[in-house]
Amino acid sequence: MQPLGDPIYVDDIGIAVNKGNGEMLDRLNEALATIQENGTYAEISEQYFGRDISQ
């Protein structure tokens, strides 16, 4: 796949967590940090989007 130019817009991605559920928020943030550090996030991004969507 070859990009044809810059994106018109970029969506931010988020995960909803019930207010007050700090344990779930902490666990999600920890898991996200882990996959970003070990390269899994970039691999998944490349596989499904053809680029690293964290950039």
Side-chain angles (χ1 to χ4, degrees):
M1 179 175 10
Q2 182 177 352
L4 299 176
D6 293 331
I8 296 171
Y9 64 91
V10 176
D11 287 328
D12 291 326
I13 299 170
I15 300 171
V17 177
N18 285 337
K19 187 174 183 176
N21 194 345
E23 180 183 353
M24 177 62 80
L25 181 59
D26 291 343
R27 291 177 68 179
L28 283 169
N29 284 332
E30 183 180 331
L32 182 57
T34 298
I35 66 171
Q36 286 175 324
E37 289 171 9
N38 69 19
T40 302
Y41 192 92
E43 289 176 18
I44 293 170
S45 294
E46 289 289 339
Q47 180 180 354
Y48 290 100
F49 301 103
R51 63 183 183 84
D52 183 353
I53 64 171
S54 68
Q55 303 301 316

